[in-house]
Amino acid sequence: MGNCSSAKLLARGIETIRISRRFASDNDVTLFPGDAQTLLDAMPERSVQLVVTSPPYNIGKAYERKKKTSVDEYVTQQRATIMRCAALLKPGGSICWQIGNHVSDNEVYPIDIMLYPVFRELGLVLRNRIVWHFEHGLHCARRFSGRYETILWFTWPGRAYAFDVDPIRVAQKYPGKKYFKGPKAGQYSANPLGKNPGDVWIIPNVKHNHVEKTAHPCQFPVELIERLILALTKKNDLVLDPFAGAGTAAVAAVLHGRRAAGAEVVPEYVRIARRRLIAAANGTLRTRPRERPVYAPSGSIAVPPWDTVR
Ligand SMILES: C[S@@+](CC[C@H](N)C(=O)[O-])C[C@H]1O[C@@H](n2cnc3c(N)ncnc32)[C@H](O)[C@@H]1O
């Protein structure tokens, strides 16, 4: 297979990107149509800057003994994938595991809490537990409707991990506010580039008539992954999503000049991901407009990096 099955694409009329099924370090995008573990085993250790994924929640029904076994089995399966992802991670790299609750018979299983010890056992350190809040979802009759999921962001210990908040700053509430007195009088009191977006991200989920909606039932919004890619990686870094679905992580990587690798077992989703990657590369992919640009008070050095990329 290799390059025989790859597609050469024109990205924004400047660069050529290549989508391959089989992993090679110099691929722009690897889209492996099969089991995640097979792709992960084919990749070299310490090669990935960012693992970002939303794993399947294939936990069985919550009945007595079976319930316990099934949850334990799930954690065991996930441990195997997480262990391999940790082995693939570069020293300054990040793992972002995006997870919601699994609900069975009206019992809520907090999957991030169940998986946190797995990351800790591997020596990874939690930097943020980001709450992703959205408005669309099932309306519950016997509990409060679920309106958030989380992203667990891990790195290796120490301070030498990549993190740059500047490309993802959001508008200040009072951008023109200045120091009234003291040595900084007259200077802006808030960072004119915008503020740190914090750890609660309000981004619509991809439902109904969302412009990014495909046939995949639970795809990431592009904006969610863009934030992570822009803050945690640099151009040409490798971004990995072992459970690629409709390929959103790879799409966000391509939009920002990063390399990507992903695996997906369902052929229809692989086709969707491929189509989206082609559209991302040639500039025709429709995405939801992002957070309004950072306000630039006159005389400030404000740069709206969020809006210059597209
Ligand atoms: C929660 S969805 C991910 C959606 C993705 N984040 C997106 O933006 O479209 C999980 C995906 O993992 C896929 N999957 C499940 N088991 C897998 C495996 N062992 N290897 C690869 N993909 C798998 C499912 O088919 C599903 O598309």
Side-chain angles (χ1 to χ4, degrees):
M1 267 189 293
N3 291 344
C4 305
S5 63
S6 67
K8 280 195 171 182
L9 307 165
L10 206 60
R12 294 189 203 93
I14 307 165
E15 297 166 52
T16 303
I17 73 155
R18 181 175 294 144
I19 305 174
S20 296
R21 291 191 210 178
R22 186 182 290 180
F23 182 80
S25 311
D26 59 351
N27 285 352
D28 297 307
V29 179
T30 306
L31 184 57
F32 178 71
D35 185 69
Q37 207 66 35
T38 309
L39 171 67
L40 302 184
D41 289 345
M43 294 176 65
E45 298 197 346
R46 296 166 150 244
S47 61
V48 175
Q49 177 61 28
L50 172 63
V51 180
V52 56
T53 199
S54 172
Y57 311 157
N58 43 352
I59 298 175
K61 282 212 164 204
Y63 293 127
E64 298 160 3
R65 215 173 72 80
K66 193 165 180 249
K67 169 178 85 176
K68 207 172 171 207
T69 311
S70 146
V71 170
D72 287 351
E73 271 171 14
Y74 177 73
V75 173
T76 303
Q77 283 165 14
Q78 285 281 294
R79 179 180 281 115
T81 309
I82 293 166
M83 276 176 69
R84 184 63 193 157
C85 286
L88 300 182
L89 195 64
K90 283 183 155 185
S94 293
I95 297 187
C96 294
W97 222 251
Q98 192 284 313
I99 326 161
N101 294 320
H102 174 76
V103 181
S104 186
D105 289 344
N106 223 28
E107 180 174 355
V108 173
Y109 295 77
I111 299 179
D112 60 350
I113 293 174
M114 288 154 47
L115 293 181
Y116 172 75
V118 175
F119 292 95
R120 286 291 287 141
E121 281 163 24
L122 291 168
L124 288 154
V125 174
L126 186 69
R127 301 299 178 182
N128 275 118
R129 180 173 184 263
I130 297 162
V131 173
W132 169 29
H133 165 67
F134 44 80
E135 291 294 347
H136 290 290
L138 293 176
H139 299 288
C140 299
R142 298 289 302 146
R143 59 190 177 87
F144 300 110
S145 302
R147 292 295 179 266
Y148 77 92
E149 297 191 350
T150 62
I151 303 171
L152 300 181
W153 168 35
F154 295 93
T155 73
W156 294 118
R159 298 180 65 86
Y161 56 89
F163 177 64
D164 181 5
V165 76
D166 281 346
I168 60 160
R169 288 183 183 278
V170 295
Q172 297 280 4
K173 200 166 180 190
Y174 303 110
K177 202 172 160 201
K178 295 182 176 176
Y179 290 104
F180 174 62
K181 58 183 181 181
K184 292 187 178 173
Q187 293 178 26
Y188 291 109
S189 57
N191 189 330
L193 289 174
K195 65 177 182 176
N196 183 315
D199 59 1
V200 178
W201 295 1
I202 303 173
I203 298 176
N205 48 346
V206 183
K207 299 287 176 201
H208 312 298
N209 57 359
H210 191 292
V211 68
E212 295 166 21
K213 183 86 183 82
T214 72
H216 196 287
C218 49
Q219 66 191 79
F220 286 139
V222 171
E223 184 180 357
L224 186 80
I225 306 307
E226 278 181 321
R227 272 199 181 170
L228 298 168
I229 285 179
L230 289 169
L232 307 180
T233 71
K234 294 197 167 37
K235 283 213 185 292
N236 216 35
D237 278 343
L238 180 56
V239 175
L240 166 66
D241 183 347
F243 304 105
T248 315
V251 160
V254 165
L255 287 172
H256 295 284
R258 277 65 167 167
R259 292 174 296 132
E264 173 54 53
V265 279
V266 177
E268 185 193 353
Y269 301 154
V270 176
R271 283 193 289 276
I272 291 170
R274 192 178 167 79
R275 277 201 297 275
R276 296 179 82 209
L277 282 161
I278 290 170
N282 68 21
T284 60
L285 186 74
R286 290 183 68 206
T287 54
R288 185 183 167 273
R290 281 170 299 209
E291 149 101 23
R292 67 202 154 99
V294 172
Y295 176 77
S298 68
S300 80
I301 50 161
V303 180
W306 212 216
D307 272 27
T308 53
V309 266
R310 193 176 301 160

